[in-house]
Structures are given as structure tokens and as C-alpha cells.
Amino acid sequence: MRKSLVVLIGLIVASGLLLGPRPSEAVVNTCSVNGIYNLNGYGQNNTRIGGTVTFTQPGTCTLAGTFTSSITFKSDGGAESTLAVSGTYLVGSDTTTTITATSGAVATIGGLCSQRDSNDLCNALHIAGDIPGVTTVTMTMTKAALTGAAGPTGPAGAAGAAGATGATGATGAAGATGATGATGATGATGATGAAGATGATGANVASVLTGGCLSPSNATNTFSAPGLTGNPCSTTIGPAQTPTPGSTQNGVSGLRGKVDVGPPASTSWAFSVFKNKGTSVLLTCTISNPNTSCVDNANTATFGAGDTLTVQIAPAATPTGVGTATWSLKYISQ
């Protein structure tokens, strides 16, 4: 396979001359090879070579230009392969073309251009020679776009006969515009309809009450009311009472408590809901080591309109002090 690839590279890099320049032609420079050239040739072992090479002339014609290529090759009994080779090229005053491959192959070879047009552009490159240690190749690169002189314009064909024009149908007569009718009298206002039935009572709204306080005591009970999250915990129940609207039956539930530091082993924080400064615990949950939160999903309570609600935060066995204690519960109003 490597030998076949090198044969393919020889298409670009082989040296040799098939057709030389005519003395009457203009001096050739690098700009005389430019554009896309179709490539055809053969190598050893009946290797068929084809593809295209694109030459890009330099800004100054005495300097080297660049080229890219997409080459296909196929040996007898083998699959067709494609190789990309690129590099630089230079055309001397004697039409000798030197091609230096730097990508896809590393080699420097030479050939000659011929079939130059009136603008001194090469329409064909002929390359034949040896790839040292590999094989001999012969190939021709032909300018992809060769434009010959335009031929004379042929005579115009005879015009075909015009078809017969069909008869135009008769236009119907326009009807007369009718007179505008008189505006009718305004009708009497209808009787007011009967009042609609009263709609169904809307569902009770469930709210989430939240509260909390700062620095609850780890030695004695403290108290919190809804909405007082940013205030220090109260040491008495009085300031922490909040009047509430009446709830539905068992409409107060889901007490949740949280501290920012979990209590050590054998200590805890208990959150409890009281009504009207009472002593009966209505909802309660306890935070024990290593947790920092608790929830009461078992108990419910009912509050009447004006009843006060207070949450007690009670330490047990002197837990580690905390910065914040917060709580929430579900409250369904009547």
C-alpha cells in the first residue's frame, strides 16, 4: 500500500519533460501556471492515476506559488484510494516547473508546461520520470477550463404561425341599483332576565404559616410567633401570641421545625403548638441527634376566629446553642 501511495505522489512530484517550449513563445514565470488542472496518468503495475490539482499563483510572479491536490489511484485488482498532497511550485524562464510537496508527501520534482495561450498561460503540464527506489510514472495535467473562440451565431428559425384568436363572449348588462330602504323603528327594550343561581362556595384556602426566632435558649423554653423570624426568641409566651382567623375542622397540621446546628447525642429540641396560652400541646415534633429538622404528620388542631397561636421551642438536656430556630405549619382557613 505504501508503494502505491508513493506512486500517487509521483503524479505530483515526478520530474521529466515530454514537450519543450517553442522559441517564439513568451518568457514563462510562476504566474503562467494557475487554476485547476485535471490529472491523468499511469504508473508501474498498471496503476491508473487521476484527480485534480489546484495551483494558486503568488502576488509576485517571480516567487513560488502554492498548490493543493486530490488524487485517486487504482492498481489492477486493488481498490481505488484517495490522497491529498500540497506544497509549493515555481516556473522558470525555460518553462521548467519545480514542484515541492510538503504535506501528504515530502519531495521535490520537475516538469515542463506547454500549450501556452495568448496570455502566456500554460494549458498543460507534462511530467514523466522516476520516483527513486519505487517506480516510473507518466502523467499529464490539463487546464480544467479551456475556452475556445465563440462560433458564429446561427440563423434565426422561422416564426411559427399565430393561432386563431377565440371569440370574446358577450358582456351581460349591468342591473339597476335598487333604492335604499327606510330605517326601521327601534324595537322596545326587552324585560330584564331572572337572576342567576348563586354559585357554589369556593374551596377553603390552605396557607403555610412560617415563623422563627434568633438564639433560642438551650436551658429554658422560648417562644415564637408567625412571621417573627428575624427577632430574638421570646422568653415568655405573651409577646409570641398571634390571633388567627378560624380554621376548618382539623385544618391545622404538618408542623415542621428546624435548627441550624444539630443537637449532640442525648439532647434535643422540641417544637410545640399552643392555643390561647394553653398548656395542652396540640402539635409537636422533636429534633434529636444527628438531625437538624423534624415533622409532625400525625396530629391536627382546630382554631376558632381570634384564637391565638404560639410555637414553643424547648431544649432537653442542654443541647448546643443554635443561631436560628424556624418552623412552619399548614393552616386551612374557614
Side-chain angles (χ1 to χ4, degrees):
M1 177 64 179
R2 177 172 179 80
K3 185 174 182 179
S4 298
L5 289 175
V6 176
V7 170
L8 177 61
I9 296 165
L11 180 75
I12 304 301
V13 300
S15 65
L17 171 62
L18 292 181
L19 297 178
R22 295 190 300 273
S24 61
E25 293 178 329
V27 173
V28 180
N29 55 38
T30 301
C31 293
S32 65
V33 176
N34 185 54
I36 300 174
Y37 288 70
N38 295 321
L39 186 153
N40 287 282
Y42 286 89
Q44 192 176 6
N45 298 324
N46 199 26
T47 299
R48 181 72 172 89
I49 303 171
T52 60
V53 181
T54 301
F55 293 96
T56 303
Q57 68 183 29
T60 301
C61 294
T62 56
L63 301 178
T66 61
F67 76 90
T68 60
S69 64
S70 177
I71 313 301
T72 61
F73 70 98
K74 185 178 186 302
S75 300
D76 281 347
E80 183 176 274
S81 300
T82 301
L83 182 67
V85 179
S86 61
T88 62
Y89 73 101
L90 187 69
V91 180
S93 61
D94 60 352
T95 76
T96 300
T97 302
T98 302
I99 299 174
T100 302
T102 58
S103 177
V106 178
T108 300
I109 51 78
L112 292 176
C113 70
S114 68
Q115 302 298 326
R116 286 178 286 148
D117 61 16
S118 59
N119 294 318
D120 206 23
L121 296 178
C122 291
N123 287 324
L125 289 170
H126 306 282
I127 297 176
D130 294 329
I131 306 301
V134 181
T135 187
T136 300
V137 295
T138 301
M139 66 85 184
T140 299
M141 299 181 192
T142 306
K143 187 79 169 179
L146 292 177
T147 304
T153 303
T165 302
T168 302
T171 302
T177 302
T180 302
T183 302
T186 301
T189 302
T192 302
T198 301
T201 302
N204 294 317
V205 177
S207 301
V208 176
L209 297 184
T210 62
C213 54
L214 304 176
S215 304
S217 171
N218 64 348
T220 185
N221 296 344
T222 52
F223 303 90
S224 170
L228 296 181
T229 306
N231 294 330
C233 298
S234 176
T235 57
T236 60
I237 193 172
Q241 295 185 92
T242 298
T244 63
S247 72
T248 59
Q249 184 68 27
N250 299 320
V252 181
S253 62
L255 172 67
R256 294 176 181 270
K258 188 178 188 309
V259 292
D260 55 3
V261 178
S266 301
T267 68
S268 62
W269 293 96
F271 288 71
S272 302
V273 175
F274 291 90
K275 178 170 63 175
N276 297 333
K277 297 178 66 174
T279 58
S280 297
V281 176
L282 303 180
L283 289 82
T284 187
C285 70
T286 300
I287 301 174
S288 301
N289 176 271
N291 301 313
T292 59
S293 62
C294 63
V295 60
D296 180 358
N297 287 322
N299 298 306
T300 62
T302 304
F303 278 68
D307 286 344
T308 60
L309 184 149
T310 304
V311 174
Q312 174 184 275
I313 304 167
T318 315
T320 301
V322 298
T324 303
T326 57
W327 57 267
S328 66
L329 54 80
K330 183 178 179 180
Y331 194 101
I332 302 177
S333 302
Q334 293 178 345

